[in-house]
Amino acid sequence: MKVLFGGALTGFYARDDLTVEMLTGNSEVTEVVVLGGNARTALLPKVRNVPSRDGGKWTLQAIVKVAREELPDFAVVGADEPLGEGLVDMLEAIGVPTFGPNWSAARLEASKRWAIELMRETGIPHPASQIFTDQEQALRFARLLKDPMVAKLDGFAGGKGVELCRSKEKAGAAVLGFMRTNPGMPIIFQELLQGVEMSLFCFTDGIHISDVVASCDYKPRSDGDTGPNTGSMGSFSWPEFWSDHLAELVKRIILHPIVDIMRRHGIVYKGVIYCGLMLTAAGPRVLEFNWRLGDAEGQVILPLLEGDLFNIMLACRAGRLYETPVVWNRNLAAATVVMVDESYPGSVGNNGEYVQGLDRVGPDVKVLHYGTTLVPYGDSFYVALGGSGRRLSPMATGATLQEALRRVYAAIDVISFPGADWRRDIGKGRSLPKEWAWAFA
């Protein structure tokens, strides 16, 4: 079978790098045609990178054109922008069976406003929210703010459309920034919750959901969870507090209800559900829903999957997930640390520079790539930097989280590129107070 894999419209994530590798592990997959790709996918067996014909960017129409030319047996859409713009519907319309939610289901992430309305309707616990469809009204609300809150854009923002507002001055500045970058988009204010943030993932065919896997992500730029919000600076799995009790709780009060309420609205959600949670003293609260593997969370949950990823995707699309067990290895830990440009998440320099030391990384670490390219040099290659500021993600597994982290940071010690920076505290600061009886029942 030939599989067409599409990452983001404007880049290629490290989770895509790993997903492509796992797809090639299925014996029935003869070729994976990758839209864009990076230096690592260029060297994977059974993989063919297809460069964009539009200066590094992909349009939905260009993707459909490649699909018509390649005639794949199956397609996988793994990123937010193309899912939210209806790429699954467009590929299915030309006869290409595709993994991922269609446009109607993708509104779960594409519109935080709609997701909040669904949660209100079905009683899924979430932060108290104020939704403003008029940005000027949001600005007036911000300038009268009394309690700390979180400001969010309704739609896509590349993981950066969230601002912590501890004062009315900060809230006003956040709204003004949103008005400049996303004029007209609804703005949401939510109560600022205290607790431990985590992510959980499952597969669904629109009726059934798989077992759940959990991870903890680090979005603030600097150690100690300080600095501006980013797409991600690193992640690990499993959290020490994760348990069968907690897994069953979130399935019962969050995951089953959200899939069921969409189906009652005539929407059959097929694909991955990624739920950002805040675990509070009163129980879990949903911060957001996404409908694809997170990055860097996807990098640490995929190595824990014991089933065949391609077969699971086929089962989701066919509505037969109940026939295909999804098992996550609870005896294995995984960690990744994102190496970024020193200016990230601001303006990015040093594109085109070369990475050194990849040949010195041990076999127990996978160095996943973002927007890199492979440059031939004699009988060898150079890996050149590119992309939006996230560069490389060394990822490792181990019998314990400490072992996985030791391997990752050892790899970072031998990798170098101009302006390289990373967080030194991945794996820390994510534990629950023992007095939270609901979590340990």
Side-chain angles (χ1 to χ4, degrees), residues 3 11 19 25 79 88 117 133 157 186 197 246 338 362-363 416 423:
V3 178
T19 303
V88 169
E117 291 170 350
T133 56
E197 191 170 349
L246 193 49
V338 182
S416 64
R423 281 186 61 157

Side-chain angles (χ1 to χ4, degrees), residues 86-372:
L87 181 57
V88 169
D89 308 71
M90 296 171 71
L91 291 173
E92 292 273 356
I94 63 170
V96 180
T98 303
F99 175 79
N102 60 22
W103 177 85
S104 294
R107 286 183 294 157
L108 190 63
E109 178 177 355
S111 173
K112 293 181 179 65
R113 173 188 175 187
W114 187 64
I116 290 170
E117 291 170 350
L118 289 180
M119 287 189 285
R120 286 173 175 170
E121 183 177 348
T122 197
I124 294 173
H126 63 283
S129 306
Q130 296 272 356
I131 301 172
F132 297 93
T133 56
D134 184 321
Q135 290 188 332
E136 291 292 343
Q137 288 185 358
L139 184 58
R140 288 193 289 273
F141 177 85
R143 287 173 171 167
L144 296 173
L145 193 68
K146 294 181 180 179
D147 299 314
M149 298 193 79
V150 178
K152 298 181 177 182
L153 281 167
D154 178 41
F156 298 128
K160 302 171 189 176
V162 178
E163 294 287 347
L164 175 59
C165 305
R166 295 191 180 276
S167 67
K168 59 185 178 183
E169 290 79 16
K170 177 65 175 176
V175 173
L176 288 172
F178 290 161
M179 293 170 73
R180 284 193 299 270
T181 57
N182 298 82
M185 183 178 288
I187 294 172
I188 298 163
F189 276 92
Q190 291 185 320
E191 65 174 318
L192 177 61
L193 298 175
Q194 300 298 320
V196 176
E197 191 170 349
M198 60 160 291
S199 304
L200 60 89
F201 299 82
C202 70
F203 292 94
T204 181
D205 59 8
I207 298 176
H208 311 90
I209 64 171
S210 73
D211 282 344
V212 180
V213 62
S215 68
C216 288
D217 187 36
Y218 294 73
K219 291 194 182 301
R221 173 62 174 85
S222 304
D223 289 2
D225 285 338
T226 60
N229 222 32
T230 72
S232 181
M233 294 296 295
S235 186
F236 73 87
S237 184
W238 298 81
E240 64 177 7
F241 53 77
W242 191 250
S243 65
D244 291 341
H245 162 71
L246 193 49
E248 290 305 313
L249 177 66
V250 297
K251 288 170 72 172
R252 176 171 55 83
I253 69 173
I254 296 169
L255 295 173
H256 279 300
I258 197 65
V259 170
D260 291 346
I261 191 65
M262 284 192 288
R263 193 169 64 252
R264 290 202 295 272
H265 282 275
I267 299 169
V268 180
Y269 186 111
K270 298 182 178 184
V272 173
I273 295 182
Y274 157 22
C275 179
L277 290 182
M278 182 68 78
L279 303 182
T280 75
R285 299 290 183 268
V286 176
L287 299 177
E288 63 177 353
F289 285 108
N290 300 147
W291 26 241
R292 34 74 188 177
L293 294 171
D295 202 281
E297 301 99 316
Q299 301 167 33
V300 297
I301 66 168
L302 285 173
L304 307 180
L305 180 63
E306 294 189 331
D308 183 283
L309 179 61
F310 183 61
N311 286 336
I312 291 169
M313 290 178 170
L314 290 175
C316 287
R317 194 264 174 187
R320 298 197 310 270
L321 186 59
Y322 62 94
E323 298 178 353
T324 306
V326 177
V327 179
W328 306 100
N329 190 339
R330 289 291 300 275
N331 298 313
L332 195 64
T336 190
V337 176
V338 182
M339 302 181 72
V340 301
D341 184 271
E342 59 190 347
S343 64
Y344 180 74
S347 59
V348 176
N350 300 319
N351 281 348
E353 297 280 359
Y354 296 129
V355 179
Q356 305 292 330
L358 292 174
D359 57 335
R360 297 167 56 198
V361 174
D364 52 4
V365 177
K366 290 182 184 290
V367 182
L368 309 175
H369 294 215
Y370 289 89
T372 59

Side-chain angles (χ1 to χ4, degrees), residues 35 47 83 85 132 431:
L35 303 181
V47 173
L83 285 170
E85 295 181 22
F132 297 93
S431 59

